PDB file of all heavy atoms in Angstrom:
ATOM      1  N   GLU A 509      15.582-104.681 130.954  1.00 96.00           N
ATOM      2  CA  GLU A 509      16.670-105.217 131.778  1.00 96.00           C
ATOM      3  C   GLU A 509      18.007-105.095 131.047  1.00 96.00           C
ATOM      4  O   GLU A 509      19.028-104.736 131.642  1.00 96.00           O
ATOM      5  CB  GLU A 509      16.393-106.683 132.106  1.00 96.00           C
ATOM      6  CG  GLU A 509      15.245-106.890 133.077  1.00 96.00           C
ATOM      7  CD  GLU A 509      14.943-108.362 133.294  1.00 96.00           C
ATOM      8  OE1 GLU A 509      15.493-109.211 132.550  1.00 96.00           O
ATOM      9  OE2 GLU A 509      14.146-108.654 134.198  1.00 96.00           O
ATOM     10  N   ALA A 510      17.984-105.371 129.740  1.00 96.00           N
ATOM     11  CA  ALA A 510      19.229-105.347 128.961  1.00 96.00           C
ATOM     12  C   ALA A 510      19.814-103.946 128.860  1.00 96.00           C
ATOM     13  O   ALA A 510      21.029-103.760 128.972  1.00 96.00           O
ATOM     14  CB  ALA A 510      18.983-105.924 127.570  1.00 96.00           C
ATOM     15  N   VAL A 511      18.966-102.921 128.620  1.00 95.00           N
ATOM     16  CA  VAL A 511      19.496-101.568 128.414  1.00 95.00           C
ATOM     17  C   VAL A 511      19.900-100.895 129.723  1.00 95.00           C
ATOM     18  O   VAL A 511      20.481 -99.801 129.691  1.00 95.00           O
ATOM     19  CB  VAL A 511      18.485-100.682 127.653  1.00 95.00           C
ATOM     20  CG1 VAL A 511      18.216-101.249 126.269  1.00 95.00           C
ATOM     21  CG2 VAL A 511      17.202-100.495 128.440  1.00 95.00           C
ATOM     22  N   HIS A 512      19.609-101.504 130.853  1.00 94.00           N
ATOM     23  CA  HIS A 512      20.067-100.966 132.129  1.00 94.00           C
ATOM     24  C   HIS A 512      21.237-101.779 132.678  1.00 94.00           C
ATOM     25  O   HIS A 512      21.620-101.623 133.841  1.00 94.00           O
ATOM     26  CB  HIS A 512      18.917-100.941 133.146  1.00 94.00           C
ATOM     27  CG  HIS A 512      17.916 -99.860 132.872  1.00 94.00           C
ATOM     28  ND1 HIS A 512      16.837-100.043 132.046  1.00 94.00           N
ATOM     29  CD2 HIS A 512      17.861 -98.561 133.289  1.00 94.00           C
ATOM     30  CE1 HIS A 512      16.141 -98.914 131.971  1.00 94.00           C
ATOM     31  NE2 HIS A 512      16.742 -98.007 132.702  1.00 94.00           N
ATOM     32  N   ASP A 513      21.820-102.581 131.839  1.00 92.00           N
ATOM     33  CA  ASP A 513      22.957-103.407 132.215  1.00 92.00           C
ATOM     34  C   ASP A 513      24.259-102.741 131.764  1.00 92.00           C
ATOM     35  O   ASP A 513      24.279-101.986 130.792  1.00 92.00           O
ATOM     36  CB  ASP A 513      22.813-104.796 131.574  1.00 92.00           C
ATOM     37  CG  ASP A 513      23.854-105.760 132.084  1.00 92.00           C
ATOM     38  OD1 ASP A 513      23.615-106.393 133.123  1.00 92.00           O
ATOM     39  OD2 ASP A 513      24.916-105.870 131.439  1.00 92.00           O
ATOM     40  N   GLN A 514      25.345-103.041 132.446  1.00 92.00           N
ATOM     41  CA  GLN A 514      26.641-102.468 132.077  1.00 92.00           C
ATOM     42  C   GLN A 514      27.096-102.910 130.694  1.00 92.00           C
ATOM     43  O   GLN A 514      27.804-102.176 130.002  1.00 92.00           O
ATOM     44  CB  GLN A 514      27.695-102.859 133.115  1.00 92.00           C
ATOM     45  CG  GLN A 514      27.567-102.138 134.443  1.00 92.00           C
ATOM     46  CD  GLN A 514      27.738-100.633 134.298  1.00 92.00           C
ATOM     47  OE1 GLN A 514      28.604-100.153 133.563  1.00 92.00           O
ATOM     48  NE2 GLN A 514      26.899 -99.879 135.002  1.00 92.00           N
ATOM     49  N   ASN A 515      26.665-104.092 130.254  1.00 92.00           N
ATOM     50  CA  ASN A 515      27.048-104.559 128.913  1.00 92.00           C
ATOM     51  C   ASN A 515      26.497-103.637 127.829  1.00 92.00           C
ATOM     52  O   ASN A 515      27.135-103.423 126.798  1.00 92.00           O
ATOM     53  CB  ASN A 515      26.525-105.982 128.693  1.00 92.00           C
ATOM     54  CG  ASN A 515      27.334-107.005 129.456  1.00 92.00           C
ATOM     55  OD1 ASN A 515      28.514-106.791 129.743  1.00 92.00           O
ATOM     56  ND2 ASN A 515      26.707-108.126 129.797  1.00 92.00           N
ATOM     57  N   TRP A 516      25.305-103.089 128.042  1.00 94.00           N
ATOM     58  CA  TRP A 516      24.707-102.168 127.086  1.00 94.00           C
ATOM     59  C   TRP A 516      25.542-100.897 126.978  1.00 94.00           C
ATOM     60  O   TRP A 516      25.786-100.384 125.871  1.00 94.00           O
ATOM     61  CB  TRP A 516      23.278-101.856 127.497  1.00 94.00           C
ATOM     62  CG  TRP A 516      22.590-100.812 126.661  1.00 94.00           C
ATOM     63  CD1 TRP A 516      22.182 -99.574 127.059  1.00 94.00           C
ATOM     64  CD2 TRP A 516      22.220-100.905 125.278  1.00 94.00           C
ATOM     65  NE1 TRP A 516      21.588 -98.889 126.031  1.00 94.00           N
ATOM     66  CE2 TRP A 516      21.589 -99.688 124.921  1.00 94.00           C
ATOM     67  CE3 TRP A 516      22.359-101.896 124.316  1.00 94.00           C
ATOM     68  CZ2 TRP A 516      21.110 -99.437 123.642  1.00 94.00           C
ATOM     69  CZ3 TRP A 516      21.871-101.646 123.039  1.00 94.00           C
ATOM     70  CH2 TRP A 516      21.259-100.435 122.710  1.00 94.00           C
ATOM     71  N   LYS A 517      25.992-100.385 128.095  1.00 91.00           N
ATOM     72  CA  LYS A 517      26.818 -99.177 128.081  1.00 91.00           C
ATOM     73  C   LYS A 517      28.131 -99.440 127.354  1.00 91.00           C
ATOM     74  O   LYS A 517      28.620 -98.583 126.606  1.00 91.00           O
ATOM     75  CB  LYS A 517      27.072 -98.713 129.507  1.00 91.00           C
ATOM     76  CG  LYS A 517      25.811 -98.287 130.243  1.00 91.00           C
ATOM     77  CD  LYS A 517      26.103 -97.848 131.666  1.00 91.00           C
ATOM     78  CE  LYS A 517      24.812 -97.431 132.372  1.00 91.00           C
ATOM     79  NZ  LYS A 517      25.047 -97.009 133.764  1.00 91.00           N
ATOM     80  N   ARG A 518      28.676-100.629 127.559  1.00 92.00           N
ATOM     81  CA  ARG A 518      29.919-100.959 126.863  1.00 92.00           C
ATOM     82  C   ARG A 518      29.683-101.102 125.354  1.00 92.00           C
ATOM     83  O   ARG A 518      30.534-100.737 124.545  1.00 92.00           O
ATOM     84  CB  ARG A 518      30.520-102.241 127.450  1.00 92.00           C
ATOM     85  CG  ARG A 518      31.172-102.045 128.812  1.00 92.00           C
ATOM     86  CD  ARG A 518      31.989-103.255 129.206  1.00 92.00           C
ATOM     87  NE  ARG A 518      31.136-104.356 129.632  1.00 92.00           N
ATOM     88  CZ  ARG A 518      30.754-104.573 130.884  1.00 92.00           C
ATOM     89  NH1 ARG A 518      31.133-103.737 131.841  1.00 92.00           N
ATOM     90  NH2 ARG A 518      29.998-105.603 131.194  1.00 92.00           N
ATOM     91  N   THR A 519      28.522-101.630 124.990  1.00 92.00           N
ATOM     92  CA  THR A 519      28.193-101.768 123.564  1.00 92.00           C
ATOM     93  C   THR A 519      28.093-100.403 122.890  1.00 92.00           C
ATOM     94  O   THR A 519      28.640-100.191 121.801  1.00 92.00           O
ATOM     95  CB  THR A 519      26.866-102.532 123.402  1.00 92.00           C
ATOM     96  OG1 THR A 519      27.013-103.848 123.935  1.00 92.00           O
ATOM     97  CG2 THR A 519      26.477-102.622 121.930  1.00 92.00           C
TER      98      THR A 519
END
Side-chain angles (χ1 to χ4, degrees):
E509 290 176 350
V511 298
H512 286 88
D513 188 87
Q514 287 298 319
N515 285 333
W516 175 246
K517 296 179 180 179
R518 285 192 285 269
T519 298

